[in-house]
Amino acid sequence: MKQLKIRLLAIILALCSSPAVSEEFSGYVSAEANIFVHQPTFTGQSRHSTSIAAQPELYHEWAGGTSITFVPFGRLDSADPKRTHGDIRELNMFWIDDTWELRVGIGKVFWGATEFLHLVDIINQTDIVESIDAEEKLGQPMGHLSLLNDWGVVELFILPYFRERTFPGVEGRLRTEPIVDTELASYESDKQQSHTDFAVRYSHTLGELDLGIYHFAGTGREPTLIPRADDLGQVVLIPYYEQINQTAVDLQMVAGEWLWKLEALHRIGQGDSFTAATGGFEYSFFGINDSAMDLGVIVEYAYDSRGTSATTPFQDDAIFGLRLAFNDLRDSTLLAGWFQDRQSPAKIIQLEAGRRIGEQFKLSLELRVFLDQPENDPLYSLRNDDHLQLELAYYF
């Protein structure tokens, strides 16, 4: 992987030395503070943490539409060495024609429709040390061909290298117990990280309906965590990456003030085959109280046929949310969510808010509270990890 990144970077530097019709340099640097309400549950953890991060972006385009994008990322964290990390989020060439598009290199692809959980998003690996909400992704080496037609878009993916999921370290908050030891990761395939994965997806817009359906064959992005003794005799969780076949669909339909959403999948290869889905609606109130503000009411439900043996904590959960868009000059927003397990009293409350300061700064806030987690709940180790995260980012 390191040699591949070096070669791609050398190619980009060589190509960028040629004349461009368009060139942009942008990105952000940020400072972040995580303030935890309770004392740490496990020895070695810090009460609070701070970090700095940077994500610049270089875009270079030639005549004819061919372009290159380079997006590195890095973070330095005060508490968790595992969270001090770097990654190339994107490093790819892009060619475009009337009926096709081709992207080769390291890239990011998002699939999904629902607000709080994204079951069908599978191309990129999750960067858990960045955020527990699984929204942050690692860059994925790929060849990505899109065939553009009036009857829809067909996308073909070749994924020649696998990225392992990141996990917090012993000193990090929001970690599991026992700890996940990524150094001992194992694979079903003898080729391990060099196994080539494939995916094909069809998407189309039919009036007010956006439809996507795909099939993925290769190394599953979500590992099974197996308890095992390490070399020191301590029990740790070993990530085991199985070979899977997954077929999934995502739907989104606008009907006046209603926005209906669904994500559903069927997976073979990770234990017994199973089905999972998340779906619901968002109803919007526009111009509330004769103001510029819009209020969205969100109701979603998450289901996993594996029940309590599921690898996700969201296997029978109702989710309620509110989205407030102030529609002001500072792009102020607020999103609140309540996750309620229907089989136990376990619940999660989260709040996300953001507001621009001036032309180049943005202040973001995230709050998460874990309530009434029973001992058999996958999130029991987070019972004392209620926290407030503040981030100030400078965009250039």
Side-chain angles (χ1 to χ4, degrees):
M1 180 64 180
K2 183 177 180 180
Q3 292 180 344
L4 174 63
K5 290 180 179 179
I6 293 174
R7 290 175 183 174
L8 286 171
L9 183 57
I11 293 172
I12 280 185
L13 292 174
L15 289 171
C16 287
S17 62
S18 59
V21 297
S22 176
E23 189 170 68
E24 297 178 10
F25 182 68
S26 58
Y28 71 86
V29 293
S30 66
E32 179 187 284
N34 281 284
I35 304 167
F36 289 85
V37 177
H38 307 291
Q39 292 289 345
T41 303
F42 308 112
T43 303
Q45 292 181 318
S46 299
R47 178 67 184 272
H48 309 300
S49 67
T50 57
S51 67
I52 55 174
Q55 182 172 290
E57 177 175 341
L58 174 64
Y59 175 80
H60 189 96
E61 181 182 334
W62 296 270
T66 301
S67 62
I68 271 185
T69 302
F70 177 39
V71 184
F73 171 81
R75 181 177 297 280
L76 180 63
D77 190 83
S78 68
D80 185 4
K82 289 287 188 179
R83 199 165 186 251
T84 294
H85 69 301
D87 182 46
I88 295 181
R89 299 306 204 206
E90 295 185 57
L91 177 57
N92 55 64
M93 287 282 297
F94 179 68
W95 295 267
I96 187 170
D97 194 70
D98 292 338
T99 59
W100 56 267
E101 298 174 355
L102 177 63
R103 194 180 303 273
V104 177
I106 299 172
K108 291 179 69 175
V109 173
F110 170 77
W111 296 335
T114 54
E115 180 62 46
F116 293 105
L117 300 174
H118 299 301
L119 299 183
V120 305
D121 193 27
I122 196 171
I123 294 295
N124 291 83
Q125 180 59 275
T126 301
D127 193 355
I128 286 289
V129 297
E130 272 302 298
S131 177
I132 194 175
D133 64 10
E135 296 287 342
E136 298 297 328
K137 302 292 181 175
L138 300 172
Q140 170 63 48
M142 68 175 71
H144 176 194
L145 174 64
S146 298
L147 304 176
L148 314 176
N149 300 279
D150 293 338
W151 44 264
V153 178
V154 176
E155 298 176 83
L156 305 173
F157 293 84
I158 299 177
L159 313 170
Y161 187 85
F162 177 75
R163 304 295 310 278
E164 293 181 0
R165 181 166 294 194
T166 62
F167 290 93
V170 175
E171 300 170 60
R173 300 292 292 259
L174 300 166
R175 72 166 176 84
T176 58
E177 175 61 26
I179 194 72
V180 177
D181 192 335
T182 55
E183 300 298 323
L184 299 177
S186 60
Y187 294 82
E188 180 179 349
S189 171
D190 293 337
K191 294 183 179 180
Q192 300 185 353
Q193 288 183 279
S194 297
H195 185 276
T196 300
D197 305 333
F198 300 93
V200 56
R201 173 178 164 89
Y202 169 76
S203 60
H204 193 39
T205 298
L206 299 167
E208 302 299 328
L209 174 67
D210 292 328
L211 162 70
I213 183 170
Y214 75 78
H215 183 78
F216 171 90
T219 306
R221 273 44 181 165
E222 177 190 18
T224 299
L225 300 177
I226 303 173
R228 188 174 300 170
D230 62 12
D231 295 339
L232 300 177
Q234 298 177 330
V235 176
V236 295
L237 297 176
I238 307 299
Y240 177 60
Y241 295 96
E242 295 102 332
Q243 291 296 297
I244 68 168
N245 278 272
Q246 178 168 303
T247 302
V249 62
D250 56 272
L251 302 170
Q252 183 169 281
M253 184 177 70
V254 179
E257 288 79 18
W258 296 86
L259 180 60
W260 296 91
K261 308 174 183 182
L262 173 69
E263 297 183 25
L265 65 85
H266 182 74
R267 183 182 300 171
I268 300 172
Q270 192 175 30
D272 295 335
S273 62
F274 69 94
T275 300
T278 179
F281 65 83
E282 179 173 353
Y283 184 85
S284 296
F285 297 89
F286 299 103
I288 56 175
N289 292 330
D290 296 323
S291 70
M293 295 188 294
D294 299 330
L295 176 66
V297 178
I298 305 168
V299 178
E300 295 181 351
Y301 173 69
Y303 166 79
D304 192 304
S305 65
R306 294 172 293 178
T308 56
S309 63
T311 54
T312 171
F314 308 110
Q315 42 79 27
D316 185 9
D317 290 69
I319 309 169
F320 307 95
L322 294 174
R323 185 202 313 276
L324 186 60
F326 290 82
N327 297 318
D328 58 359
L329 295 176
R330 299 306 178 192
D331 195 25
S332 305
T333 59
L334 184 148
L335 176 65
W338 177 298
F339 296 70
Q340 179 62 61
D341 193 318
R342 295 182 65 247
Q343 303 298 320
S344 80
K347 57 186 70 70
I348 302 172
I349 299 172
Q350 70 176 40
L351 178 70
E352 300 176 7
R355 178 180 173 85
R356 288 193 295 109
I357 302 174
E359 296 299 321
Q360 293 179 286
F361 287 91
K362 182 178 181 179
L363 180 65
S364 300
L365 174 152
E366 293 187 14
L367 173 69
R368 283 189 179 84
V369 180
F370 305 91
L371 298 172
D372 304 322
Q373 306 293 328
E375 291 189 22
N376 62 347
D377 192 281
L379 299 180
Y380 181 68
S381 62
L382 309 185
R383 60 194 180 277
N384 292 324
D385 283 342
D386 303 345
H387 68 283
L388 174 67
Q389 178 179 293
L390 294 170
E391 180 189 60
L392 180 64
Y394 172 77
Y395 289 84
F396 54 87

Coordinates of all heavy atoms in Angstrom, one line a residue, residues 12 24 52 79 96 131 146 159 172 203 224 251 286 350 364 366 392 396:
I12 N 1.3 12.0 -10.0 CA 0.5 13.3 -9.9 C 1.4 14.5 -9.9 O 1.2 15.5 -10.6 CB -0.3 13.3 -8.6 CG1 -1.6 12.5 -8.7 CG2 -0.7 14.7 -8.1 CD1 -2.5 12.5 -7.6
E24 N -7.0 24.4 -8.4 CA -7.5 24.9 -7.1 C -6.7 24.2 -5.9 O -6.5 23.0 -6.0 CB -9.0 24.6 -6.9 CG -9.9 25.3 -8.0 CD -11.3 24.9 -7.8 OE1 -11.7 24.3 -6.7 OE2 -12.1 25.2 -8.7
I52 N -5.4 18.3 16.8 CA -5.4 19.2 15.6 C -5.4 18.3 14.4 O -4.8 17.2 14.4 CB -4.1 20.1 15.6 CG1 -2.8 19.3 15.7 CG2 -4.2 21.1 16.7 CD1 -1.6 20.2 15.5
A79 N -4.3 12.3 23.5 CA -4.6 11.2 24.4 C -4.4 9.8 23.8 O -3.9 8.9 24.5 CB -6.1 11.3 24.9
I96 N -13.4 11.9 -18.4 CA -14.8 12.1 -18.6 C -15.1 12.1 -20.1 O -14.3 12.7 -20.9 CB -15.3 13.3 -17.9 CG1 -16.9 13.4 -18.0 CG2 -14.7 14.6 -18.5 CD1 -17.5 14.5 -17.1
S131 N -14.4 9.1 14.1 CA -15.8 9.4 14.6 C -16.5 8.1 14.8 O -16.5 7.2 14.0 CB -16.6 10.3 13.7 OG -17.9 10.5 14.2
S146 N -18.0 4.5 -14.8 CA -19.4 4.8 -14.8 C -19.9 4.9 -16.2 O -19.3 5.6 -17.0 CB -19.7 6.2 -14.1 OG -19.4 6.1 -12.7
L159 N -11.5 -3.2 -6.8 CA -10.9 -2.8 -5.6 C -9.7 -3.7 -5.3 O -9.9 -4.8 -4.7 CB -11.9 -2.8 -4.5 CG -13.3 -2.1 -4.8 CD1 -14.3 -2.4 -3.7 CD2 -13.1 -0.6 -5.1
G172 N -7.5 5.4 24.5 CA -8.5 6.1 23.9 C -9.9 5.9 24.6 O -10.2 4.8 25.1
S203 N -28.1 2.8 -10.8 CA -28.8 3.9 -10.2 C -29.6 4.7 -11.2 O -29.1 4.8 -12.4 CB -27.9 4.8 -9.4 OG -26.9 5.4 -10.2
T224 N -15.7 -9.4 12.1 CA -16.2 -10.1 13.2 C -15.1 -10.0 14.3 O -13.9 -10.3 14.0 CB -16.5 -11.6 12.9 OG1 -17.5 -11.6 11.9 CG2 -16.9 -12.3 14.1
L251 N -33.3 3.7 -1.5 CA -34.4 4.4 -2.1 C -34.6 5.7 -1.4 O -34.5 5.8 -0.2 CB -35.7 3.6 -2.1 CG -35.7 2.2 -2.7 CD1 -37.0 1.5 -2.4 CD2 -35.6 2.3 -4.2
F286 N -41.8 24.2 6.6 CA -41.0 25.3 6.0 C -41.5 26.7 6.6 O -42.7 26.9 6.7 CB -41.1 25.3 4.5 CG -40.6 24.0 3.9 CD1 -41.4 23.0 3.4 CD2 -39.2 23.8 3.7 CE1 -41.0 21.9 2.9 CE2 -38.7 22.7 3.2 CZ -39.6 21.7 2.7
Q350 N -27.9 12.1 20.7 CA -26.8 12.9 20.1 C -27.3 14.2 19.5 O -28.5 14.3 19.1 CB -26.2 12.0 19.0 CG -27.0 11.8 17.8 CD -26.3 11.0 16.7 OE1 -25.5 10.1 17.0 NE2 -26.4 11.4 15.5
S364 N -18.1 23.8 15.1 CA -19.0 22.6 15.2 C -19.1 22.0 16.6 O -18.1 22.1 17.3 CB -18.5 21.5 14.2 OG -18.4 22.0 12.9
E366 N -20.6 18.6 18.8 CA -21.3 17.2 18.9 C -21.4 16.8 20.3 O -20.4 16.9 21.1 CB -20.5 16.2 18.1 CG -20.4 16.4 16.6 CD -19.8 15.3 15.8 OE1 -19.6 14.2 16.5 OE2 -19.4 15.4 14.6
L392 N -13.1 23.9 16.0 CA -13.0 25.1 15.2 C -12.1 24.9 14.0 O -11.0 24.5 14.2 CB -12.4 26.2 16.1 CG -12.3 27.6 15.4 CD1 -13.6 28.1 15.1 CD2 -11.5 28.6 16.4
F396 N -9.7 27.2 3.7 CA -8.9 28.1 2.8 C -9.2 27.6 1.4 O -9.7 26.6 1.1 CB -7.4 28.0 3.2 CG -6.8 26.7 3.2 CD1 -6.3 26.1 2.1 CD2 -6.8 26.0 4.4 CE1 -5.8 24.8 2.1 CE2 -6.2 24.7 4.5 CZ -5.7 24.1 3.3

